[in-house]
Amino acid sequence: MAKPPLIEAFERAGQGHVFAFFEQLTPADQQQLLSDAAEIDLGEIAHLTQTLLAKGAVTGLNLDGLAPAPYELRPEKGGDVKAWGAAKTAGEVALRAGRVAAFTVAGGQGTRLGYDGPKGTFPVTPIKQKTLFQVFAEKIRAAGARYGKPLHWFIMTSNANHAATEAFFIEHAFFGLEKARVHFFRQGRMPAVDLDGKILLETKGTLAMSPDGHGGSLRALDRSGALDLMDKEGIDILSYFQVDNPLVRGIDPAFIGWHVLRGSEMSSKMVAKAYAGEKVGHFCTQNGQAVVIEYSDLPKSYQEEIDPVMGGLRYLAGSIAIHVFDTKFIRRMAKGGAGVALPFHRADKKIPTIDAAGNVVKPDKPNGVKFEMFVFDALPFAKNPVIIETRREDDFSPVKNAEGLDSPVTCRDDQLRQFTRWLKAGGAVVPTDATGLPPFAVEVSPLFGYDEDSFADAWKRLSPKPEIKAGLYLAV
Ligand code: UTP
């Protein structure tokens, strides 16, 4: 039988070893391997090997001309109260007009949490143990009701968790959302390579493939037809957030309004870094463009630099992975061409594989490289980017690790503090410690109130007011 052209192409690219065990596979496994291999852009792998792996490849970033990015201060911190008010109104108008959709990236592997299943199915709320997906679904439902326009919700999955994610939504009847407005699509994959750029096999018949990073969302939105659907529905504003952060105000009128009024193609929220070495990206400018520099790429001297005029950290603006995108911008980024492309980053990892003789190898130190794109790398390509300040406690408490920092415990406590703040703002008396944490669990359903404003409205209407005590659950 003639050799499939794909195998010949791999051989020409120096990747013929991928098919070393081909003859030993069943016809079905052969087909599967060919189909996985067909996903790989061999030119891209050769280019990444040259630029990111070759000896002498320039790794560290060029930091010439780097400066902190300007951002819109919160009103309480001296920001322009009128401009914030106008932004909120503009955002509400966009929401009422149905121009906005929600977008959750949920294709990550969640290795640090070590939870078996899609991360969105992880239970997070203090009393009802609602899952991350349920929290977002209810927030989106409530926002749709508030603005009189049900929202579309796009969810990016990976090959590994797509079926389980869809099944979870079906099992839970889409948490009351209209099924036709919830859209799942898979992100792309990249093969892992060894330190010489050779594609790694996971088994004799499968490649070591992994998701291509949250930056892969831009091309996946295009490839999946999601952008076409948005065009059809009159949606041109996409509100982006991560699956691990239940505190996020995924539908935030002021944020959307800043984006609209400034004619921004990509807008971002920042929080003041909690301490100099906090592991977040830093909003900066370079050559007149906004950029996010990862903490791992920013030398300690920059991270700790003190602003000579204002005092405090000079590089203060931390990225919390909350953005608003113009859909035309996403399409432009996805199509690429002429220097318009997200770069890939290299991550050295321990990758289970097989050796040339077909023996299983379980490495105890990094033996290969995964390639990932980061969504914030789109920022320098965007026209009129806006960065606005938000309070960490209003928007950010991710579940990343099983224990310690950014874990289920810290996230639960931050939710309790948020519910308590809302209650106190409404005049309720709630005992708390110095950090604002109550001594017992209370919970607010997003359907009752999903942000400060919606809670305040619902609380005002509530009569009689319930007794504030352990186990209080406010719902509609
Ligand atoms: P993280 O950087 O926290 O990665 O993703 P992760 O894969 O979820 O977790 P670890 O590092 O293995 O522990 C941040 C967000 O980006 C999404 C994740 O689902 C999460 O919402 N993401 C990440 C993707 O959608 N695709 C990817 O390829 C990577």
Side-chain angles (χ1 to χ4, degrees), residues 107-112 114-115 117 158 160-161 209-211 349 370 372:
Q109 294 173 304
T111 32
R112 283 171 288 172
Y115 170 67
S158 67
N161 69 21
M209 302 282 273
S210 51
K349 301 266 181 185
K370 287 185 180 179
E372 280 196 341

Side-chain angles (χ1 to χ4, degrees), residues 104-113 119 156-157 187 211-214 240-244 349 372 400:
T104 307
V105 284
Q109 294 173 304
T111 32
R112 283 171 288 172
L113 184 61
K119 209 179 201 180
M156 184 174 81
T157 62
Q187 70 177 107
D212 58 2
H214 41 65
Y240 170 108
F241 54 91
Q242 302 192 149
V243 76
D244 53 22
K349 301 266 181 185
E372 280 196 341
K400 296 274 186 203

